[in-house]
Amino acid sequence: MSKKKKNLITNNYIAQQKNISEVIANKNDLFFHIENKECAAYKLTADPLKYLDPFISTTKKWLTIGDYNGFEAHYLLQKKQNVVASDISDVVLKKAYARGLIKKYSMQNVENISYTDNAFDYVMCKEAFHHFPRAYLALYEMIRVCKLAIIMVTEPIDILSKMSTLLFFKNILDKINPFLINRIWKNRFSWETVGNYVFKISEREIEKIAMGMGLPCIAFKRYNHFKSHTPIEGMLDVPLNINLYKRIQRKLRIKNFISRVGLIPYDSVCTVIFKIQPEEKVVQKLLDLGYNVLRLPTNPYLK
């Protein structure tokens, strides 16, 4: 790897650490929506975590990745799970620990997780995978340290894989100029202000990764998710404004209906990559929640 590329990746992680230490850690309402579960922010942030339900019927050992304020770890603790919260910086996690919101935490770079192989039953990453500069390297590391499965919650979907019309126009326009499609596909190249490229998930790519590693099963749950940065009147980190909450829920229901009939793709996906074949009762719970479960064939040339 060239020195320039290495510096770019290093700078990416440094920028994310600085953002947590200098911006996020100084917010006054950092834990409000964790400690006040009746506020809209908690309800909207916790809502996608219901897709973890098939995995928490008994106590398991979890590692959360990119869990900057311990929200996911706290949620799992309430479900009687044994969980370690981790992030690229532990500045906020220390505060969460001091407030009793989490029991264990660790500073981890997801590209080089310090734990041994199969150290956790589950590794869970919520709204963080798209931040990673080398996303697949991070993916392989998460698979390495889990025993049963990794679960990535609320990650953006690569719409090109879901919109055949967009792909059709891209194939035509590419013959003229490969950048012409950008006039239609506005967020083809997108970055967040902290400095990371927004890495979007393609289900087909996940399938190929799992097949290459000889993994037995993957599952996807597509849905639309309220983004906290979406412009909307009213504050979320205050005691529940029922009218605001109902308005947000109404918008999501409308969007879900439009996605369900196939007019627009869903914006988010929960992705599960199993390291061993899941139990039938887990598969049934996944199906009941609307997951698409794909049992993968085994390599006929390797035993």
Side-chain angles (χ1 to χ4, degrees):
M1 181 187 300
S2 69
K3 185 175 181 180
K4 183 177 179 180
K5 283 290 183 183
K6 186 173 182 180
N7 287 341
L8 181 65
I9 293 163
T10 301
N11 289 341
N12 187 303
Y13 281 117
I14 290 173
Q16 294 188 48
Q17 287 176 316
K18 287 181 65 177
N19 183 59
I20 293 172
S21 301
E22 298 175 5
V23 180
I24 294 176
N26 294 319
K27 290 184 176 180
N28 294 326
D29 56 0
L30 196 55
F31 303 107
F32 184 94
H33 66 302
I34 303 179
E35 297 174 329
N36 297 273
K37 294 180 173 55
E38 288 306 309
C39 75
Y42 179 84
K43 291 179 180 294
L44 292 166
T45 305
D47 184 61
L49 295 180
K50 66 187 177 212
Y51 298 124
L52 299 178
D53 285 354
F55 310 104
I56 55 180
S57 57
T58 59
T59 300
K60 299 293 184 182
K61 191 174 182 182
W62 294 70
L63 174 68
T64 61
I65 298 289
D67 194 1
Y68 79 96
N69 67 350
F71 184 95
E72 291 87 65
H74 177 76
Y75 178 91
L76 288 167
L77 280 173
Q78 304 306 298
K79 301 292 184 179
K80 304 188 184 308
Q81 300 300 299
N82 179 0
V83 55
V84 177
S86 79
D87 199 9
I88 190 68
S89 168
D90 62 0
V91 172
V92 181
L93 290 175
K94 287 178 180 177
K95 294 183 178 182
Y97 176 80
R99 295 172 82 112
L101 299 175
I102 58 176
K103 291 185 178 180
K104 291 176 280 188
Y105 67 91
S106 175
M107 186 168 72
Q108 296 289 333
N109 184 320
V110 69
E111 292 188 5
N112 187 25
I113 301 173
S114 64
Y115 293 104
T116 58
D117 297 357
N118 305 315
F120 298 89
D121 293 308
Y122 295 110
V123 175
M124 195 270 282
C125 176
K126 178 179 179 290
E127 296 185 80
F129 185 73
H130 66 273
H131 287 286
F132 304 148
R134 293 184 288 192
Y136 286 161
L137 180 55
L139 185 65
Y140 289 124
E141 270 292 273
M142 289 190 287
I143 293 172
R144 180 184 66 78
V145 299
C146 82
K147 185 187 300 182
L148 302 178
I150 72 164
I151 308 155
M152 298 186 291
V153 183
T154 312
E155 291 298 334
I157 292 177
D158 183 353
I159 64 168
L160 190 66
S161 64
K162 295 298 177 185
M163 293 183 68
S164 56
T165 304
L166 181 62
L167 180 59
F168 172 77
F169 281 116
K170 183 179 185 300
N171 288 337
I172 292 175
L173 294 175
D174 280 355
K175 295 177 181 180
I176 305 169
N177 185 317
F179 292 100
L180 277 178
I181 189 64
N182 296 358
R183 297 181 182 182
I184 303 172
W185 188 7
K186 297 296 184 181
N187 67 342
R188 178 185 182 184
F189 304 114
S190 53
W191 289 265
E192 294 183 325
T193 54
V194 69
N196 65 281
Y197 169 74
V198 179
F199 191 97
K200 301 176 179 70
I201 284 184
S202 161
E203 294 175 16
R204 173 58 178 155
E205 290 301 311
I206 296 296
E207 178 184 311
K208 290 190 290 184
I209 287 171
M211 287 295 298
M213 297 182 69
L215 301 181
C217 185
I218 54 178
F220 303 99
K221 170 59 184 176
R222 306 176 199 107
Y223 52 96
N224 290 311
H225 175 59
F226 172 78
K227 304 296 191 297
S228 59
H229 57 266
T230 302
I232 190 167
E233 292 181 7
M235 294 295 294
L236 293 177
D237 288 326
V238 294
L240 181 60
N241 178 331
I242 191 65
N243 291 326
L244 168 65
Y245 184 63
K246 285 182 177 179
R247 191 159 73 249
I248 294 170
Q249 292 293 80
R250 187 161 55 248
K251 288 186 175 184
L252 282 176
R253 283 195 297 271
I254 293 171
K255 191 173 182 181
N256 284 334
F257 173 77
I258 296 173
S259 296
R260 205 160 40 241
V261 298
L263 295 178
I264 62 170
Y266 290 96
D267 60 38
S268 300
V269 62
C270 177
T271 303
V272 185
I273 304 176
F274 289 96
K275 204 166 180 180
I276 64 172
Q277 199 67 252
E279 298 178 0
E280 286 303 321
K281 61 182 180 181
V282 173
V283 172
Q284 188 56 55
K285 288 179 179 178
L286 291 170
L287 294 173
D288 291 343
L289 277 173
Y291 276 87
N292 293 326
V293 179
L294 180 61
R295 295 186 186 273
L296 301 174
T298 56
N299 187 331
Y301 301 105
L302 294 175
K303 294 183 180 181

